[in-house]
Amino acid sequence: MIKSDHVRLWNSCLQVIRDVVPETTYNTWFVPIVPLKYENKTLTLQVPSQFFYEFIEEKFVDLLRNTLYKVIGEGTKLMYNVMVDNSSKTTVNLEATNRSIAINKNTVQDARKAPSILRAPAVQDLDSQINPDYNFENFIEGNSNKLSRSVAEAVAKNPAKTAFNPLFMHGVSGVGKTHLSNAIGTRIKELYPHLRVIYVSAHLFQVQYTDSVRNNTTNDFINFYQTIDILIIDDIQEFAGVTKTQNTFFHIFNHLHQNGKQLILTSDRPPVLLQGMEERLLTRFKWGMVAELEKPSVELRKDILKNKIHRDGLQFPAEVIDFIAENVTESVRDLEGVIISIMAHSTIYNKDIDLELAQRIIRKIVRCDTKAITVDGIIDTVCKHFGIDTSVIHTKSRKREVVQVRQIAMYLAKKHTDSSSSKIGQLIGGKDHATVLHAFKIVKEQCEVDKNFRADVESLETQLRKRV
């Protein structure tokens, strides 16, 4: 039997999609989709729920657009048939967003490169690349991010008119740096629509610069960025080791700063720990405000979960929320990933959302073995390992062996606990946060060049995991 056009076309799309997404993603989000019809250049797909439809549209719209162009051709549109009641088989038809309409993929790629922005378009024509879904209203505040948020709001209210220029925000992956930097851009665009605001990842900036060199348009590239009023660069650590890109950014930075423009930078580490970066840039990164976003506390994690669940129109039992918050400790991104996974399993396998389901999902996604590691436990473990009394670590002794034990304890506390650098310093010898950051850098560098030292540190980490 010859397959209908819509089945054949969707199967061809699946072959393309399967090659570019992980197997688990493919099985979770694409296998459940059922093709219903193809007519008038519109492919109608049935999906199992409203949540499923919204997730597909948010996360995979670019992949779908490029796939439709490749398999069917330009101008192809999507229509979703969404199952709203499984028992009665009730469905509704929802149009896909315009972003899913298939267009020439080269056009899409070109739109992300420098030549398309080098003409310095008028403000109303400038694509700021700001994500308006990231705003201050849905950024949940806690002690771990209170300072950064306050500074960010001050910058958004008076860009380039505060002492926070540049604003350098740092923290491990998933603590909200991208959200907060976009929130600044969103607020500035609301308050000052005449200002030229642009958000760009360090990786994309580097790609644009490389293209400008290849196309002999480097002057145009620099001139474009020098017209920006608010420049937001995410993940600035990716400039490490790329000397020519750093040199170019140095001149752009100087021009903007000297002309009263606002710079906002994010990084996964503070300037003092950035490797492969020119000293003149590191100096400038510290001119304004360096603010850390720490890992969220358990209470903040609960608030974030409740907000996310409410915003998505979902219902989770309180015990499930508590279990997730207590066990998913690394980042906000992990929290959101767990919610999505639980919803997907609940929808696809028609299971209630309960503690048993949450436990099974979390065991597969995150490690739960570091939640009980404390600074006191680290001090005790390190001192026993090196054979010194715990009281010695809190003295002002500058003996080499004491200093090393103190630094290792600070390094492990920074790596394995939610405590801030200031808190760690207070608990280990009454030191300040700069001493903790310096200790982290020293131990990290020593681990990279001394295998015996690294073995000692890894042994300590194993002992810490056994304690919990």
Side-chain angles (χ1 to χ4, degrees), residues 23-78:
E23 188 71 17
T24 53
T25 300
Y26 175 81
N27 290 333
T28 301
W29 298 108
F30 293 98
V31 169
I33 296 174
V34 178
L36 296 183
K37 62 181 178 179
Y38 175 68
E39 56 186 31
N40 299 324
K41 299 200 75 175
T42 300
L43 179 63
T44 301
L45 304 174
Q46 186 176 83
V47 295
S49 70
Q50 177 78 17
F51 172 80
F52 200 102
Y53 153 74
E54 292 175 356
F55 189 84
I56 286 284
E57 276 287 281
E58 179 183 353
K59 301 295 184 182
F60 300 114
V61 65
D62 291 333
L63 173 60
L64 286 169
R65 178 186 60 229
N66 293 336
T67 302
L68 289 175
Y69 173 79
K70 183 175 183 179
V71 173
I72 305 176
E74 190 162 359
T76 305
K77 298 180 181 180
L78 270 182

Side-chain angles (χ1 to χ4, degrees), residues 237-273:
Q237 76 276 357
E238 293 195 19
F239 282 173
V242 191
T243 304
K244 291 184 179 179
T245 302
Q246 289 183 40
N247 287 338
T248 301
F249 178 66
F250 172 81
H251 295 298
I252 292 170
F253 183 107
N254 276 352
H255 178 89
L256 294 180
H257 197 274
Q258 290 169 6
N259 285 276
K261 311 300 182 182
Q262 179 72 50
L263 293 114
I264 299 148
L265 313 171
T266 77
S267 171
D268 66 356
R269 68 206 72 173
V272 70
L273 295 181

Side-chain angles (χ1 to χ4, degrees), residues 90-110:
T90 303
T91 63
V92 296
N93 288 329
L94 295 174
E95 290 187 7
T97 60
N98 288 335
R99 289 194 301 142
S100 65
I101 298 175
I103 59 175
N104 189 319
K105 62 183 179 181
N106 292 326
T107 302
V108 176
Q109 292 171 351
D110 289 346

Side-chain angles (χ1 to χ4, degrees), residues 69 163 252 256 309 336 339 349 357 425 448:
Y69 173 79
I252 292 170
L256 294 180
I309 291 165
E336 295 178 343
I339 292 175
Y349 299 111
L357 177 61
E448 292 172 353

Side-chain angles (χ1 to χ4, degrees), residues 145-162:
N145 59 34
K146 186 178 182 66
L147 173 63
S148 297
R149 183 201 171 108
S150 298
V151 171
E153 287 189 309
V155 168
K157 186 176 180 181
N158 293 295
K161 291 182 173 62
T162 70

